Amino acid sequence: QVQLVESGGGLVQAGGSLRLSCAASGRTFTIVTMGWFRQAPGKEREFVARINWSGGSTQYADSVKGRFTISRDNAKNTLYLQMNSLKPEDTAVYYCNARTPTDYWGRGTQVTVSS
């Protein structure tokens, strides 16, 4: 199994930046991809960004392209999400995901962007 713990959420004004982190532990050698998803109140969980754990190729949702950057530190088994130019519509609980291909999820971290 893989355990995931997110950190770095908080309250920020529109236009500001935050960096989320996700520390992975357990059978991390089985991870194929890691990613970020988010869920706003009353909405379904949606994909934000994904990175191939070995090769580093990335994918982004159209809504965050050019503003968010996903990266990883394999030595530290840590995933990051640098979020710039934040908008109120980015407000959500952000979840870390690891696919082995079984899906593992963290408990989430709240990001609130005020207008």
Side-chain angles (χ1 to χ4, degrees):
Q1 292 200 353
V2 175
Q3 294 78 43
L4 304 171
V5 178
E6 303 99 334
S7 61
L11 172 64
V12 64
Q13 289 189 332
S17 298
L18 281 175
R19 188 175 83 152
L20 305 183
S21 299
C22 174
S25 60
R27 296 173 61 87
T28 56
F29 61 90
T30 64
I31 295 174
V32 177
T33 66
M34 288 193 74
W36 293 95
F37 289 71
R38 66 188 182 186
Q39 188 166 17
K43 295 187 177 182
E44 293 187 354
R45 190 172 298 188
E46 65 174 6
F47 166 76
V48 175
R50 178 182 293 117
I51 188 166
N52 180 279
W53 199 239
S54 59
S57 61
T58 57
Q59 292 177 286
Y60 295 92
D62 288 343
S63 59
V64 307
K65 276 181 183 177
R67 300 188 299 122
F68 291 11
T69 302
I70 190 170
S71 62
R72 90 276 193 231
D73 185 331
N74 296 71
K76 295 181 179 180
N77 289 322
T78 301
L79 178 73
Y80 303 100
L81 185 68
Q82 178 66 43
M83 305 186 294
N84 299 328
S85 302
L86 282 161
K87 304 175 181 180
E89 51 263 43
D90 294 318
T91 295
V93 177
Y94 283 70
Y95 295 92
C96 178
N97 167 267
R99 183 164 290 177
T100 69
T102 300
D103 277 322
Y104 295 93
W105 297 92
R107 292 187 177 184
T109 185
Q110 177 70 47
V111 172
T112 303
V113 184
S114 63
S115 57

